[in-house]
Amino acid sequence: MANSLSGDSVVDRVVRVISAFPEGSGSLQLSELATRSGLPLTTAHRLVRQLAAHGLLETGGGGTVRLGLRLWELVNRNSPTLALRQAAMPFMEDIQQVLNQNVNLAVLDGWEALFVERLSRRGSVANRAQIAGRMPVHVSSAGLALMAHQSKAVQGEYLAQFVDPDGKVTAETVRTLLAETAHTGFAQLAGVVDPDTWGIAVPVIDSRQHTVAALGVVVPLHEVRLQALVPALQTAARGVARRLRDSAP
Amino acid sequence: MANSLSGDSVVDRVVRVISAFPEGSGSLQLSELATRSGLPLTTAHRLVRQLAAHGLLETGGGGTVRLGLRLWELVNRNSPTLALRQAAMPFMEDIQQVLNQNVNLAVLDGWEALFVERLSRRGSVANRAQIAGRMPVHVSSAGLALMAHQSKAVQGEYLAQFVDPDGKVTAETVRTLLAETAHTGFAQLAGVVDPDTWGIAVPVIDSRQHTVAALGVVVPLHEVRLQALVPALQTAARGVARRLRDSAP
């Protein structure tokens, strides 16, 4: 039992170390990593050494630590999002080519939209490598498209705990947004990251009527082809769902 | 000390479980995961439960286990290859647009080329989502481009341990290939995965004269624009190196 208890704690510490890197940080100083993990420096140092021996972390000059190439490889050769991304990619490329818009693919994780793939319009490729970003449900069209098609129980749970950190939006407003999204079959929202853009997203609904992803575009506010964009997205979302079904074991 | 020893062992087991998923396997049965990790079923079961509680693994119906979305997110929002991929992506897209060829980006990891990014030519997007593949140095143009520009010490170490598993290629042949690659500044090799293709790759050399990546294309055997492809790749590789230098802290 002592082993088991000790084991629990080590697993927890490993997770804390791996999770301690803030988004896009690259490398951290060991002391900062220890602080962020809530671990004593000696414990952090020992764990980093052990994880680095397996390639899950990498240590550099000046006491810096970063996630290891081996960990990146392990996760990406076996990504939990691989089947979804493979099914979606041809359709995302179609949208990018035909509409020349930024295209994204998100899944619901907790009360947030997690972006698992992104294609930028030609000429704005800088963000393409940055995936794995998150947005709260109520401020992203992808989040609304995902949540609007969850069960009433899940939606109820979400709304019951909803608090806008900015104090601007009430749960009732979000409820109305979700109802509108469910009714129209697509979500649209003025850009939060970039106020000069709209986000538009539609759900990808699998054969069991589960909403497994949201497919969306980010378009300039002056974009007037909304009536053309939505059916194109909906058609693509049906194609993604069909490919997911065909590729299921 | 008992804690430390026990800790060593738990970290090792965590790594073994995370590493046990074969490429593209998606999910594994718990019993298969235990076998592949070399762990007793009860130990594997306990570790899976602990890791799943943190979202690093996910358990599904019928005793299946897969890598968790949370782990994917942690690694990809902070990818050790992010800076390289961000620097390379605009140039990779240029090559894809101008030459309409499959483009790839690899780093040297051990004695293998690890592919960290890939863009498929228009109309063949299926493989885009599959990165994190590996190829032995001597059968990939990327591997040759990477190794040909390593130090003599590293090359010597590589050649000293070289054994072709197929028994076809000798270390001497590989030495000659590396010398040719270093002399011409690019590597070319008939396709191994697809025998009707050529792979062509050039090194990305940073300001300290370290070869940090290889940029390559996969072209049909009948492609006759080799003389045009190589300078285009070399120009792009210089651009990648310049962006890496400009974005370095």
Side-chain angles (χ1 to χ4, degrees), chain B residues 220-242:
Chain B
L221 271 188
H222 57 74
E223 172 64 61
V224 292
R225 290 177 301 168
L226 196 62
Q227 283 165 316
L229 289 175
V230 171
L233 275 178
Q234 287 172 326
T235 308
R238 291 177 66 93
V240 175
R242 193 165 53 246

Side-chain angles (χ1 to χ4, degrees), chain A residues 6 8 12 21-22 24 26 50 54 67 69 72-73 76-78 80-82 86 93 117 125 128 130 134, chain B residues 6 8 12 21-22 24 26 50 54 67 69 73 76-81 86 93 117 125 128-130 134:
Chain A
S6 157
D8 278 338
D12 183 55
F21 294 84
Q50 293 174 265
H54 293 287
L67 294 178
L69 196 56
W72 179 86
E73 178 191 4
N76 281 287
R77 75 178 190 187
N78 231 310
T81 70
L82 187 60
Q86 282 183 323
E93 180 149 303
E117 193 56 84
V125 290
R128 225 303 272 121
Q130 275 182 319
R134 282 178 176 266
Chain B
S6 157
D8 278 339
D12 183 54
F21 294 83
Q50 293 173 262
H54 292 288
L67 294 178
L69 196 57
E73 177 190 4
N76 281 287
R77 74 178 191 188
N78 231 310
S79 158
T81 69
Q86 283 184 322
E93 180 150 304
E117 194 57 82
V125 290
R128 223 303 272 124
Q130 275 181 320
R134 279 178 180 268

